Amino acid sequence: MVTLTMDGRKIEAPEGATLLKAANSANIEIPQLCSNEELEHYGACRLCVVEITHKNRTRIVASCIYEVAEGLEVNTRSERVLNVRKLVIELLLARNPRHPSLLKIAEDLGVKKSRFEAEIKGCILCGQCIRTCREVVGVSAIGYEGRGINKRVATPFEESPPDCIACGSCHFVCPVDVIPMKEKDGVRNIWKTDFPLQKCESCGRYFAPVKQLEYFREQYNLPPEQFSKCTHCR
Amino acid sequence: MEDKVREIISKYDSDKAFLVPILQDVQKEFNHLPHKALHRVSVFLDVPISRIYEVATFYKAFSLTPRGDHQLTVCIGTACHVRGAQNLTDHIERILGIKPGETSGDLKFSFDTVNCVGACALGPILEADGDYHGKMTISKSNKLLKKLGKKVVTDEED
């Protein structure tokens, strides 16, 4: 355990923990959009910045990727921190001016309107969809395309993603809901591609994408009849 | 295509760490990065195609569309810029009928701009198929384009 000071309070945190995690366990709220317990630390959204003091010098760091250290002094609500957060949320609002989760953070920071001209992209490039697909699902069907101002989330060659199993994790994890997914007549549509759903043998309900069930069977060496019934009928 | 890709990859012991040099070699072989070749690289290296697509779209040196037989690049770094790189760029755009980053319809020429080639004393620089041509002027560029097989109609009397 290491002891550090956060907003004037002495708190303890396990070694190797991030400042964000330490703050959350001490009930200190820090806004963030890209950090996810199931995923590796990433540091994309920059909303979680805090100010650290080290030998008379202060520095702005992203708390979701900065590890706790003995005797570290952290200020999560200094004027400098709040100014950076305001700037960041305004930049994010320029990309997506309407999503409630962004508007909520903006309101909390006292930001009424973005100073920047709207350049609506929807996606805020937090990378949670890509990282979930890679790290949790393990298929890596989607990725980034391009770089700088042209960077965006895309399927390879903007075609139907060959590795996608239609699990919908990217749709679920997206903090600004910009990955559409629809289900109709036994077909799930995601990434502009139709994936047939498996029909339950006994109740006739469509319960999961065929490709996802195939993927599970392959991963865990399950018999072919494993997922012929839905969870209720099993 | 498959054999060629396999040959390139075996040169690097099928090591994923060499993805960029492998893609460079693939591009050299096929003059761009064909989708099929990238899918082969993905299978042989056991790297997801989404990852390869990320790398291929990240670097400006990689092209997913066919390139022209001749590559023309104008340096638009500061030194070249103040010596008239913009005029040169406009001129080449007009002659070839394409914008930077594009390839002419007959696949003869590709045209790009670059932010500095590190030969500022010789600005403006026009790079043609890897050769640097310094102190470039409109009329010198016309000569060069003619040498590369482009018909250049100019107002000047030759």
Side-chain angles (χ1 to χ4, degrees):
Chain A
M1 289 300 246
V2 293
T3 314
L4 64 157
T5 320
M6 202 172 269
D7 294 348
R9 266 169 64 193
K10 281 243 179 300
I11 63 166
E12 278 202 333
E15 225 161 293
T18 61
L19 290 180
L20 180 68
K21 196 143 193 227
N24 286 343
S25 6
N27 281 328
I28 293 170
E29 206 183 312
I30 296 177
Q32 59 86 13
L33 288 162
C34 73
S35 171
N36 187 322
E37 277 202 353
E38 303 297 325
L39 303 173
E40 296 282 322
H41 308 319
Y42 198 58
C45 76
R46 313 314 281 187
L47 265 174
C48 69
V49 288
V50 295
E51 194 171 12
I52 57 168
T53 309
H54 203 72
K55 291 180 188 157
N56 296 332
R57 277 170 181 247
T58 68
R59 191 147 80 88
I60 293 281
V61 296
S63 65
C64 68
I65 44 174
Y66 199 91
E67 287 183 8
V68 294
E70 186 63 46
L72 195 68
E73 250 179 67
V74 185
N75 193 333
T76 71
R77 298 199 61 81
S78 71
E79 197 188 341
R80 196 169 158 211
V81 166
L82 293 179
N83 274 334
V84 175
R85 282 192 198 150
K86 276 181 192 164
L87 177 73
V88 171
I89 194 68
E90 284 180 70
L91 287 166
L92 293 177
L93 281 175
R95 291 182 71 93
N96 184 335
R98 269 186 287 277
H99 197 272
S101 62
L102 295 181
L103 292 173
K104 169 81 176 47
I105 293 171
E107 198 194 322
D108 292 347
L109 287 166
V111 172
K112 288 199 179 67
K113 207 175 160 287
S114 178
R115 273 172 281 178
F116 305 101
E117 205 178 306
E119 213 173 282
I120 297 165
K121 302 260 188 355
C123 172
I124 55 164
L125 296 177
C126 71
Q128 284 197 70
C129 49
I130 293 172
R131 291 181 291 141
T132 304
C133 194
R134 250 169 226 177
E135 297 169 26
V136 180
V137 185
V139 298
S140 202
I142 50 172
Y144 288 117
E145 173 195 274
R147 63 165 157 183
I149 55 167
N150 299 316
K151 185 174 174 180
R152 56 193 212 90
V153 175
T155 57
F157 311 109
E158 293 177 41
E159 294 167 351
S160 287
D163 298 328
C164 183
I165 57 168
C167 66
S169 302
C170 47
H171 163 83
F172 174 76
V173 81
C174 180
V176 289
D177 302 314
V178 290
I179 300 174
M181 181 172 89
K182 277 197 188 97
E183 264 175 39
K184 205 186 161 206
D185 303 330
V187 172
R188 175 179 288 183
N189 186 289
I190 189 164
W191 294 109
K192 294 185 187 146
T193 310
D194 284 332
F195 293 91
L197 297 167
Q198 176 75 44
K199 202 174 194 172
C200 173
E201 260 184 3
S202 51
C203 69
R205 197 170 64 94
Y206 292 107
F207 66 98
V210 174
K211 267 191 104 174
Q212 185 181 8
L213 298 175
E214 271 169 15
Y215 176 75
F216 284 154
R217 280 196 290 260
E218 218 169 274
Q219 284 286 297
Y220 301 103
N221 263 328
L222 302 170
E225 67 281 1
Q226 181 71 34
F227 295 116
S228 51
K229 291 177 183 169
C230 73
T231 41
H232 297 289
C233 303
R234 240 172 260 162
Chain B
M1 177 180 277
E2 183 155 345
D3 291 342
K4 205 73 218 174
V5 173
R6 201 191 289 273
E7 195 186 310
I8 289 168
I9 288 171
S10 58
K11 251 191 354 201
Y12 294 95
D13 289 335
S14 304
D15 187 346
K16 311 174 188 197
F18 292 103
L19 179 58
V20 170
I22 287 169
L23 293 184
Q24 281 174 321
D25 286 4
V26 171
Q27 171 144 317
K28 212 182 222 167
E29 180 66 35
F30 303 110
N31 135 319
H32 70 292
L33 295 175
H35 292 197
K36 262 195 189 154
L38 292 184
H39 279 289
R40 294 329 292 167
V41 173
S42 162
V43 172
F44 293 148
L45 283 186
D46 193 23
V47 173
I49 187 70
S50 64
R51 189 83 194 134
I52 290 175
Y53 184 66
E54 276 183 354
V55 174
T57 55
F58 184 87
Y59 295 103
K60 223 177 154 186
F62 292 133
S63 172
L64 293 169
T65 49
R67 307 292 292 167
D69 299 336
H70 299 292
Q71 171 70 43
L72 291 173
T73 310
V74 174
C75 176
I76 51 163
T78 314
C80 292
H81 175 79
V82 295
R83 294 189 194 207
Q86 188 59 53
N87 288 340
L88 189 60
T89 309
D90 292 345
H91 178 68
I92 291 174
E93 269 183 27
R94 202 164 49 237
I95 297 281
L96 295 180
I98 50 174
K99 296 238 172 289
E102 293 178 352
T103 299
S104 62
D106 56 3
L107 293 183
K108 284 270 189 302
F109 290 94
S110 286
F111 177 45
D112 276 300
T113 56
V114 64
N115 287 330
C116 187
V117 293
C120 303
L122 293 174
I125 302 265
L126 173 62
E127 192 189 334
D129 294 334
D131 294 329
Y132 287 9
H133 300 270
K135 307 217 160 125
M136 192 44 67
T137 58
I138 302 279
S139 59
K140 269 171 86 180
S141 74
N142 284 339
K143 271 188 200 149
L144 195 69
L145 280 162
K146 275 183 196 159
K147 228 169 93 187
L148 293 174
K150 179 81 197 169
K151 268 191 196 150
V152 182
V153 185
T154 51
D155 310 336
E156 307 161 34
E157 277 173 272
D158 279 39

